[in-house]
């Protein structure tokens, strides 16, 4: 095909793409990630809500990502240091980072995504995860998601953590592997359980086939979940990944609980 004709077709394709994007917005207008209401201006969150979101940009524990201000510590004195909880009990993962604190406001974003299957802002959420977990993303060889048990996956129809992991993979060009880490046990919900109760609940819940050991050996894994509560689930996954050869397991979540009291999620 002559280059002139090719250029003309490419330009026509670009015009068609822009036109379809405008039509798409007319049919499915932009809606708030928090309220679900239609938003007239740019962005996916109303300005009055945006200003109240507590983004976790630091200073925080270099391992689990807990903001030091929550611990009533002098933040500047603890840069590149672990929090007392991580010093007392080393987590099974290497590092964890989250985008924002889980509270009454941001829970609407999480629950619309998690329980409502609302992928309206998935690309934005993935971009935030890549930004707030930048140091982890830079070193990752592969992206994985915390898996659901096949029975729960069939009942729900989707795994929101896998949606997020796939979007992060597209955003960062890090390969996504979703068939290696499996959930063997259909464990009860973690909601309402203590930290110890959550750890016991997911004990032995995850598995990796021996055939994947050669692939995992020496790999730096970026593990994705929607909410970090006590870290029990991602720790259980991390320990299994490391037993099968992963050199490093870092965690990125959309949100994390920063309250000292276990919430019901």
């Amino acid at each position: 095909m002559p280059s002139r004709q090719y250029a003309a077709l490419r330009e026509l394709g670009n015009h068609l793409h822009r036109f379809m994007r405008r039509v798409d917005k007319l049919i499915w207008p932009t809606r708030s990630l928090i309220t679900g209401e239609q938003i007239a201006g740019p962005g996916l969150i109303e300005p009055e809500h945006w200003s109240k979101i507590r983004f976790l940009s630091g200073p925080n524990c270099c391992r689990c990502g807990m903001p030091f201000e929550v611990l009533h510590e002098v933040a500047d004195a603890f840069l590149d240091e672990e929090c007392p909880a991580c010093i007392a009990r080393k987590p099974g993962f290497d590092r964890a980072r989250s985008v924002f604190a889980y509270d009454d406001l941001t829970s609407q974003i999480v629950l619309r995504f998690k329980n409502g299957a609302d992928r309206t802002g998935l690309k934005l959420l993935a971009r935030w995860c890549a930004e707030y977990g930048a140091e982890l993303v830079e070193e990752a060889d592969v992206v994985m998601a915390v898996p659901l048990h096949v029975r729960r996956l069939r009942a729900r129809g989707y795994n929101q953590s896998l949606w997020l992991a796939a979007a992060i993979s597209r955003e960062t060009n890090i390969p996504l592997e979703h068939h290696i880490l499996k959930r063997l046990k259909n464990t009860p919900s973690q909601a309402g359980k203590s930290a110890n109760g959550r750890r016991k609940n997911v004990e032995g819940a995850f598995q990796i086939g021996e055939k994947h050991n050669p692939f995992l050996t020496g790999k730096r894994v970026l593990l994705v979940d929607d909410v970090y509560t006590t870290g029990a689930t991602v720790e259980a996954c991390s320990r299994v990944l490391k037993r099968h050869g992963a050199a490093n397991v870092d965690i990125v979540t959309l949100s994390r609980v920063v309250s000292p009291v276990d919430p019901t999620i």
Side-chain angles (χ1 to χ4, degrees):
M1 179 184 293
S3 59
R4 188 174 298 176
Q5 287 180 303
Y6 178 79
L9 285 174
R10 186 173 60 182
E11 184 62 24
L12 178 62
N14 289 337
H15 280 302
L16 181 60
H17 178 70
R18 288 192 291 269
F19 172 74
M20 291 306 297
R21 287 186 64 183
R22 288 194 293 270
V23 171
D24 183 70
K25 287 186 176 181
L26 289 174
I27 300 175
W28 293 285
T30 302
R31 295 190 177 277
S32 167
L33 296 182
I34 292 177
T35 64
E37 299 297 323
Q38 183 175 342
I39 299 178
L44 294 172
I45 298 174
E46 298 90 336
E48 63 270 24
H49 294 316
W50 173 267
S51 62
K52 297 175 183 176
I53 295 178
R54 184 180 174 188
F55 288 99
L56 301 177
S57 55
N60 50 35
C61 171
C62 66
R63 186 171 291 273
C64 76
M66 174 66 83
F68 279 120
E69 60 186 90
V70 174
L71 305 173
H72 305 293
E73 305 284 3
V74 180
D76 291 341
F78 286 87
L79 290 175
D80 299 321
E81 296 291 342
E82 295 183 0
C83 68
C86 288
I87 293 173
R89 180 184 176 278
K90 184 178 179 180
F93 53 80
D94 291 274
R95 295 169 295 180
R97 298 293 181 269
S98 303
V99 176
F100 48 70
Y102 188 93
D103 54 30
D104 289 342
L105 180 67
T106 58
S107 65
Q108 301 307 306
I109 298 175
V110 175
L111 296 179
R112 288 179 66 83
F113 175 54
K114 181 173 183 174
N115 298 335
D118 187 348
R119 290 187 282 181
T120 300
L122 184 56
K123 186 173 182 179
L124 174 63
L125 300 181
R127 191 177 301 137
W128 283 349
C129 287
E131 178 184 344
Y132 281 80
E135 57 187 316
L136 284 56
V137 166
E138 288 174 4
E139 300 175 9
D141 297 313
V142 62
V143 179
M144 295 185 187
V146 171
L148 291 178
H149 186 270
V150 64
R151 195 173 300 166
R152 187 170 298 180
L153 182 60
R154 286 172 181 165
R156 180 179 290 182
Y158 61 91
N159 177 357
Q160 74 283 350
S161 296
L162 180 55
W163 280 351
L164 186 58
I168 292 172
S169 173
R170 291 190 294 270
E171 180 72 23
T172 61
N173 292 317
I174 302 171
L176 173 71
E177 295 291 341
H178 61 84
H179 63 289
I180 293 178
L181 182 62
K182 302 291 184 183
R183 192 167 195 141
L184 270 185
K185 296 181 181 178
N186 190 18
T187 54
S189 169
Q190 296 277 63
K193 289 182 170 59
S194 66
N196 285 333
R198 286 170 180 258
R199 281 194 288 270
K200 290 179 181 178
N201 190 42
V202 294
E203 191 173 305
F206 302 97
Q207 184 187 54
I208 294 172
E210 296 294 333
K211 65 180 180 180
H212 296 299
N213 287 6
F215 173 81
L216 281 173
T217 300
K219 288 290 193 302
R220 301 180 70 90
V221 178
L222 183 68
L223 184 64
V224 179
D225 205 2
D226 52 0
V227 182
Y228 181 114
T229 307
T230 63
T233 299
V234 292
E235 276 200 56
C237 291
S238 299
R239 294 185 193 282
V240 171
L241 286 164
K242 288 191 172 186
R243 280 203 302 270
H244 286 264
N248 191 90
V249 181
D250 289 328
I251 313 300
V252 169
T253 65
L254 187 58
S255 65
R256 75 161 292 152
V257 173
V258 296
S259 167
V261 180
D262 284 346
T264 298
I265 297 177

